[in-house]
Amino acid sequence: MAPGLYLVATPIGNARDITLRTLDILQQAEVLAAEDTRSLRRLLEIHGIALGDRPLIAYHDHNGARARPRLLAAIEAGQSVAYASEAGTPMISDPGFDLMRAAQEAGLAATSAPGPSAMVTALTLAGLPTDRFLFAGFLPNASGARKRTLGELGAVPATLVFYESPKRLDGMLRDAEEVLGAERQATVCRELTKKFEEVRRGSLSELAAFYGQNPAKGEIVVLIGKGEAAVVSETVMEDEIRTALETMSVRDAADSVSAKLGVKRRPVYQLAMKLAGQ
Ligand code: SAM
């Protein structure tokens, strides 16, 4: 195999969701690197690929700065290095970015062997428009920051795609209902490609009520459909206006906030006047 960095996508559940090219690369690369070396070992075993005496090097967010020079040196010395994240596509809410950029900056050959990713799989199953979508990864944990982010994203005319943990799903759906409106359509995709795969569609209020009663388990992608017209809660609007008023006149704050949130200017202006005490 030619020297270089080979990013490979690995299954997100079903071990057979792996491409022939990725299997070839895992079979032939002289050095293997993985976010989680145990997961990659298991995958090699399932597919009958012997590691042999090839090095298997851990590369993740916490040791990237130390492990990167070793991987780059291997490529510079003429070796092929395959990198896999724990599951799915490297760099999609996973490590790999710094490694790829460093390889490119060093003028080394680098390529990607595409394959599974939970975000694409969820989009194909959600029953929401896919002509335009925005992948936003994980939302902040704290409710205030989460609502602010949802407020900003809510105005984007596209299907929104989020990764979420089962512990936070209920709170996230309740915040989304408050910020984006009860009627906005959404889909929760759980355990994709696995035995208990589930796709549940409904309005944000229906989904919040369901998962409030039935706590979810497993891995989750939440997709939120495009709003008919941007619906933004008064709390979010007020927060944005207060921040804008720190540096702007009422008129400029109204322009800036209505553009940022994608809402009509008039109600923003009226609220800004009230908050500014005019
Ligand atoms: N790189 C991966 C990819 O390409 O999808 C994502 C890694 S990210 C750290 C892990 C998150 O992806 C999980 O918390 C979950 O939100 C989502 N995810 C991964 N596998 C999934 C699955 N089988 N079903 C639903 N969501 C999944």
Side-chain angles (χ1 to χ4, degrees), residues 4-59:
L5 174 65
Y6 296 77
L7 291 192
V8 297
T10 53
I12 56 167
N14 188 321
R16 295 186 68 76
D17 287 334
I18 189 159
T19 70
L20 298 176
R21 180 165 171 234
T22 289
L23 290 174
D24 287 345
I25 292 170
L26 292 175
Q27 178 100 55
Q28 293 165 22
E30 285 150 312
V31 176
L32 299 182
E35 179 189 10
D36 181 340
T37 53
R38 278 196 315 184
S39 304
L40 187 60
R41 255 179 220 281
R42 208 174 318 122
L43 192 66
L44 295 179
E45 263 168 40
I46 291 172
H47 292 286
I49 296 174
L51 180 61
D53 55 9
R54 297 180 292 168
L56 172 52
I57 298 167
Y59 182 90

Side-chain angles (χ1 to χ4, degrees), residues 60-77:
H60 43 70
D61 285 338
H62 308 292
N63 78 343
R66 261 180 296 126
R68 216 162 24 249
R70 184 170 169 201
L71 298 176
L72 297 179
I75 303 171
E76 273 158 5

Side-chain angles (χ1 to χ4, degrees), residues 12 87 89 92-94 117-118 138 163-164 192 194 219-221:
I12 56 167
T89 299
I92 305 299
S93 292
D94 260 346
S117 183
F138 289 94
Y163 284 165
E164 197 44 275
L192 294 166
K194 304 187 207 177
E219 296 194 284
I220 292 164
V221 184

Side-chain angles (χ1 to χ4, degrees), residues 119-120 123 129-136 156-161 223:
M119 56 159 286
V120 176
L123 271 168
T130 54
D131 54 331
R132 254 181 160 203
F133 60 87
L134 187 149
F135 173 63
V156 176
T159 294
L160 305 176
V161 187
L223 302 97

Side-chain angles (χ1 to χ4, degrees), residues 204-224:
L204 281 171
S205 73
E206 287 165 347
L207 291 171
F210 179 83
Y211 287 107
Q213 292 292 310
N214 305 276
K217 287 194 186 131
E219 296 194 284
I220 292 164
V221 184
V222 179
L223 302 97
I224 299 180

Side-chain angles (χ1 to χ4, degrees), residues 1 3 13 25 34 43 53 65 79 96-97 99 136 152 161 173 189 196 214 219 230-231 233 237 257:
M1 225 160 93
I25 292 170
L43 192 66
D53 55 9
Q79 294 192 305
F97 170 70
L99 182 59
E152 286 166 16
V161 187
L173 289 171
C189 294
F196 297 108
N214 305 276
E219 296 194 284
V231 183
S233 80
M237 209 188 286
V257 172

